[in-house]
Amino acid sequence: MNNASTSYLSFHSTGEFGRGYYRSHCGPTAITNLIISAKQEVSGRLLTDDACRTIFESVATFGRRMLIYNRKHGTTDLLLGLYVRAAFKNNDVDILRPGRRYTLGASNARKVLSRGNYMLLEVFGHPKYGWHQMLVYGIDDSGRFIAADGLEKGPVLLDDNEIGRGLFLEIRHS
C-alpha cells in the first residue's frame, strides 16, 4: 500500500472509546475504524477525536439496541454483516459495503486484499487476541498484513502465521 492510500486509515483502539462503560467492544471499534477511514477518505481530512468518539457511540448504541452487541459478551459474529451494513447506513458511508464471509487464512486474505478491499476479522482462540474482531487494510512491502487490531493506536503488522484462524467479512469499496 502506498502512503497516499494509507494516510486516511483509522487505527483507533478500544481504550479510546467508552471509558469505564464498555467492555468487549472490539467489534464496534473495528466498525468505527471502517467508518472513520471512509469519512476521512471522502473528506480528504482527518476527523477530530470528538467526531471519532461520536461515531463510536452511534455504532455501539445501535448494536446494543439491535441486540447484536452486548457490552459484556461482545458482538454476535453471525450478525456481523447486518451490523456493518446498518452502521454504514446510519453514518452515511456509501463508499464501503460488506461483501462475503470467508474462512480466515493467508491465501484467502491475500486474494481479497489484492482486489483493494479490506477485511473485518473474527479470530477464534488466537494466541494473542483470543476471541476478537479487528481489521486488516492491506499488505505492506514486506508481505505482512496491516491491521488495526483495536489494542494499539497505530498499525500492527502480522505475518501469515500470526493472522490466526476464524472467519472474515470482506469490506468492498463501492
Side-chain angles (χ1 to χ4, degrees), residues 133-154:
Q133 293 177 354
M134 62 183 173
L135 297 175
V136 172
Y137 287 119
I139 301 170
D140 75 358
D141 293 337
S142 299
R144 296 172 295 180
F145 297 101
I146 302 167
D149 72 352
L151 302 180
E152 301 295 326
K153 292 182 182 181

Side-chain angles (χ1 to χ4, degrees), residues 40-90:
Q40 290 179 160
E41 181 181 335
V42 168
S43 70
R45 63 179 178 80
L46 298 178
L47 298 181
T48 66
D49 288 342
D50 284 342
C52 295
R53 281 190 290 278
T54 298
I55 292 168
F56 171 80
E57 287 295 332
S58 78
V59 170
T61 299
F62 176 79
R64 284 184 21 249
R65 278 195 208 131
M66 298 304 294
L67 304 176
I68 296 171
Y69 165 69
N70 173 302
R71 67 185 189 96
K72 183 177 179 185
H73 301 290
T75 304
T76 303
D77 291 332
L78 290 175
L79 299 176
L80 189 59
L82 172 69
Y83 190 13
V84 171
R85 185 173 286 107
F88 286 174
K89 183 177 180 183
N90 290 344

